[in-house]
Amino acid sequence: MNPQTADVNAAIDAELQLLDPAVRTSRSLAARLLDPEFVEVGASGRRWTYEEMLAALPDLDGGGGGRNGSGESNEDGLRFAPSGMSGVVLAPGIVHLTYETDFGGRRARRSSLWRRRDGETGWQMYYHQATPVPDGG
């Protein structure tokens, strides 16, 4: 396996971890995967910073206390279902992932930038954006 393939696979593994409810409900596990300079533009259009995301993540969709599309409690374990995840190395230590998720019938196209700093072994999400997929889209 070439180094670029290994880097993309490591970023995909980390992205899948962030979709896991066990990670989403654990501040320490999520903090390990988010870059301190992390920014997200969510499907709602809201901009999230590192601290805002860590504070809210357990209560967001896909976590233990989130709400489903009807506004009801997500205690039934509704999870994000990713598909079509692929990635490309943009530069040494920078991987761009794209994929789509389905969460209870709500679809979103997602894009993430992962980076590994010099001397570090782990990948951290630096930027994430989700765009809702319109019905029929």
mmCIF file of all heavy atoms in Angstrom, residues 69 78-79 81 100-108 133-136:
data_model
loop_
_atom_site.group_PDB
_atom_site.id
_atom_site.type_symbol
_atom_site.label_atom_id
_atom_site.label_comp_id
_atom_site.label_asym_id
_atom_site.label_seq_id
_atom_site.Cartn_x
_atom_site.Cartn_y
_atom_site.Cartn_z
ATOM 1 N N GLY A 69 -35.490 13.626 12.967
ATOM 2 C CA GLY A 69 -36.063 14.620 12.059
ATOM 3 C C GLY A 69 -37.409 15.139 12.500
ATOM 4 O O GLY A 69 -37.839 16.209 12.103
ATOM 5 N N LEU A 78 -30.781 5.902 16.267
ATOM 6 C CA LEU A 78 -30.686 6.306 14.874
ATOM 7 C C LEU A 78 -29.264 6.793 14.619
ATOM 8 O O LEU A 78 -28.722 7.587 15.390
ATOM 9 C CB LEU A 78 -31.706 7.407 14.590
ATOM 10 C CG LEU A 78 -32.011 7.754 13.150
ATOM 11 C CD1 LEU A 78 -32.515 6.531 12.386
ATOM 12 C CD2 LEU A 78 -33.067 8.846 13.103
ATOM 13 N N ARG A 79 -28.663 6.294 13.553
ATOM 14 C CA ARG A 79 -27.269 6.615 13.240
ATOM 15 C C ARG A 79 -27.147 7.167 11.831
ATOM 16 O O ARG A 79 -27.977 6.889 10.980
ATOM 17 C CB ARG A 79 -26.418 5.346 13.326
ATOM 18 C CG ARG A 79 -26.392 4.693 14.664
ATOM 19 C CD ARG A 79 -25.642 3.386 14.587
ATOM 20 N NE ARG A 79 -24.260 3.607 14.195
ATOM 21 C CZ ARG A 79 -23.215 3.079 14.803
ATOM 22 N NH1 ARG A 79 -23.381 2.271 15.802
ATOM 23 N NH2 ARG A 79 -22.001 3.324 14.399
ATOM 24 N N ALA A 81 -25.836 6.971 8.242
ATOM 25 C CA ALA A 81 -25.436 5.892 7.345
ATOM 26 C C ALA A 81 -24.628 6.515 6.208
ATOM 27 O O ALA A 81 -25.204 7.142 5.308
ATOM 28 C CB ALA A 81 -26.659 5.164 6.804
ATOM 29 N N GLU A 100 -21.675 10.864 1.279
ATOM 30 C CA GLU A 100 -23.053 11.232 1.536
ATOM 31 C C GLU A 100 -23.527 10.474 2.778
ATOM 32 O O GLU A 100 -23.073 9.361 3.035
ATOM 33 C CB GLU A 100 -23.920 10.871 0.333
ATOM 34 C CG GLU A 100 -25.301 11.458 0.380
ATOM 35 C CD GLU A 100 -26.061 11.278 -0.918
ATOM 36 O OE1 GLU A 100 -25.605 11.807 -1.949
ATOM 37 O OE2 GLU A 100 -27.116 10.604 -0.884
ATOM 38 N N THR A 101 -24.421 11.096 3.543
ATOM 39 C CA THR A 101 -25.029 10.403 4.676
ATOM 40 C C THR A 101 -26.541 10.423 4.543
ATOM 41 O O THR A 101 -27.116 11.305 3.915
ATOM 42 C CB THR A 101 -24.669 11.059 6.035
ATOM 43 O OG1 THR A 101 -25.060 12.431 6.015
ATOM 44 C CG2 THR A 101 -23.202 10.915 6.361
ATOM 45 N N ASP A 102 -27.131 9.429 5.176
ATOM 46 C CA ASP A 102 -28.581 9.367 5.331
ATOM 47 C C ASP A 102 -28.835 9.248 6.827
ATOM 48 O O ASP A 102 -28.224 8.416 7.502
ATOM 49 C CB ASP A 102 -29.154 8.162 4.589
ATOM 50 C CG ASP A 102 -30.675 8.144 4.644
ATOM 51 O OD1 ASP A 102 -31.231 8.011 5.753
ATOM 52 O OD2 ASP A 102 -31.299 8.244 3.581
ATOM 53 N N PHE A 103 -29.698 10.080 7.330
ATOM 54 C CA PHE A 103 -30.047 10.047 8.747
ATOM 55 C C PHE A 103 -31.566 10.106 8.826
ATOM 56 O O PHE A 103 -32.159 11.174 8.709
ATOM 57 C CB PHE A 103 -29.413 11.222 9.501
ATOM 58 C CG PHE A 103 -29.631 11.154 10.988
ATOM 59 C CD1 PHE A 103 -28.811 10.375 11.783
ATOM 60 C CD2 PHE A 103 -30.670 11.847 11.585
ATOM 61 C CE1 PHE A 103 -29.011 10.310 13.150
ATOM 62 C CE2 PHE A 103 -30.880 11.777 12.945
ATOM 63 C CZ PHE A 103 -30.049 11.014 13.737
ATOM 64 N N GLY A 104 -32.169 8.947 8.947
ATOM 65 C CA GLY A 104 -33.627 8.889 9.026
ATOM 66 C C GLY A 104 -34.321 9.484 7.820
ATOM 67 O O GLY A 104 -35.354 10.130 7.959
ATOM 68 N N GLY A 105 -33.739 9.301 6.630
ATOM 69 C CA GLY A 105 -34.347 9.831 5.414
ATOM 70 C C GLY A 105 -33.848 11.206 5.015
ATOM 71 O O GLY A 105 -34.146 11.687 3.926
ATOM 72 N N ARG A 106 -33.090 11.860 5.888
ATOM 73 C CA ARG A 106 -32.491 13.164 5.540
ATOM 74 C C ARG A 106 -31.088 12.902 5.020
ATOM 75 O O ARG A 106 -30.255 12.344 5.724
ATOM 76 C CB ARG A 106 -32.438 14.083 6.762
ATOM 77 C CG ARG A 106 -33.802 14.585 7.189
ATOM 78 C CD ARG A 106 -33.699 15.538 8.355
ATOM 79 N NE ARG A 106 -33.149 14.826 9.511
ATOM 80 C CZ ARG A 106 -32.347 15.362 10.411
ATOM 81 N NH1 ARG A 106 -31.982 16.616 10.312
ATOM 82 N NH2 ARG A 106 -31.897 14.658 11.423
ATOM 83 N N ARG A 107 -30.857 13.308 3.762
ATOM 84 C CA ARG A 107 -29.564 13.088 3.136
ATOM 85 C C ARG A 107 -28.745 14.372 3.115
ATOM 86 O O ARG A 107 -29.293 15.461 2.992
ATOM 87 C CB ARG A 107 -29.754 12.559 1.720
ATOM 88 C CG ARG A 107 -30.391 11.180 1.694
ATOM 89 C CD ARG A 107 -30.745 10.694 0.301
ATOM 90 N NE ARG A 107 -29.790 11.049 -0.714
ATOM 91 C CZ ARG A 107 -30.124 11.447 -1.945
ATOM 92 N NH1 ARG A 107 -31.392 11.541 -2.306
ATOM 93 N NH2 ARG A 107 -29.196 11.746 -2.827
ATOM 94 N N ALA A 108 -27.426 14.199 3.214
ATOM 95 C CA ALA A 108 -26.511 15.337 3.116
ATOM 96 C C ALA A 108 -25.245 14.898 2.397
ATOM 97 O O ALA A 108 -24.791 13.765 2.562
ATOM 98 C CB ALA A 108 -26.162 15.876 4.501
ATOM 99 N N VAL A 133 -29.262 17.429 0.815
ATOM 100 C CA VAL A 133 -29.635 16.991 -0.532
ATOM 101 C C VAL A 133 -31.144 17.206 -0.666
ATOM 102 O O VAL A 133 -31.919 16.672 0.129
ATOM 103 C CB VAL A 133 -29.289 15.498 -0.755
ATOM 104 C CG1 VAL A 133 -29.772 15.035 -2.127
ATOM 105 C CG2 VAL A 133 -27.805 15.262 -0.573
ATOM 106 N N PRO A 134 -31.571 17.998 -1.637
ATOM 107 C CA PRO A 134 -33.017 18.242 -1.792
ATOM 108 C C PRO A 134 -33.729 16.960 -2.212
ATOM 109 O O PRO A 134 -33.129 16.065 -2.799
ATOM 110 C CB PRO A 134 -33.091 19.308 -2.881
ATOM 111 C CG PRO A 134 -31.795 19.233 -3.607
ATOM 112 C CD PRO A 134 -30.771 18.689 -2.652
ATOM 113 N N ASP A 135 -35.003 16.881 -1.913
ATOM 114 C CA ASP A 135 -35.803 15.745 -2.343
ATOM 115 C C ASP A 135 -35.656 15.571 -3.851
ATOM 116 O O ASP A 135 -35.691 16.538 -4.601
ATOM 117 C CB ASP A 135 -37.279 15.949 -1.999
ATOM 118 C CG ASP A 135 -37.534 15.908 -0.496
ATOM 119 O OD1 ASP A 135 -36.688 15.331 0.226
ATOM 120 O OD2 ASP A 135 -38.559 16.448 -0.048
ATOM 121 N N GLY A 136 -35.440 14.333 -4.246
ATOM 122 C CA GLY A 136 -35.251 14.048 -5.665
ATOM 123 C C GLY A 136 -33.868 14.339 -6.158
ATOM 124 O O GLY A 136 -33.574 14.193 -7.353
#
